[in-house]
Amino acid sequence: MVLMLGFVTIVAAALAAGYLLGRLRPWRRAGDWAADQVRFTGAWVRGGVVRQAVVVLVHVVTAPRTSWRIMRTPAADTTAPVPVRDPDWVAHRTRADKGGTP
């Protein structure tokens, strides 16, 4: 009887853990975090070698096909053009810029 009660408790705990992992989706969250860190070069570039290694490792583990495609793609040689700033942008806004209809 005690053995059966222990088995039922283990099964219930396993089902609860599976439900919580399904709701929390840690695998997807880790993959999304790594993809965001790789895609938007920001703090992770300045974070040091250890942070870069962790980000790349998590990305390779959670999205191996995407990581392989990224590694095969050559780096772009051109840089993005600097946007031209309009010092009088408020006066040149349209209705669409202000949230209205064009």
Side-chain angles (χ1 to χ4, degrees):
M1 184 66 172
V2 173
L3 185 62
M4 184 65 158
L5 184 60
F7 178 72
V8 170
T9 305
I10 290 172
V11 169
L15 288 174
Y19 173 77
L20 288 175
L21 286 175
R23 296 290 289 173
L24 296 176
R25 298 181 182 146
W27 190 260
R28 179 177 287 175
R29 288 178 189 259
D32 291 345
W33 172 79
D36 288 344
Q37 298 299 313
V38 170
R39 185 175 300 118
F40 305 112
T41 56
W44 84 278
V45 175
R46 296 182 301 272
V49 176
V50 175
R51 180 175 165 86
Q52 290 178 8
V54 168
V55 168
V56 170
L57 180 65
V58 170
H59 194 268
V60 167
V61 168
T62 58
R65 284 186 278 169
T66 303
S67 298
W68 181 251
R69 182 179 48 80
I70 289 171
M71 286 187 277
R72 285 190 348 225
T73 305
D77 292 333
T78 61
T79 59
V82 176
V84 178
R85 305 275 182 206
D86 185 6
D88 199 17
W89 67 274
V90 174
H92 296 137
R93 288 189 303 171
T94 62
R95 285 185 185 205
D97 293 335
K98 297 176 187 175
T101 57

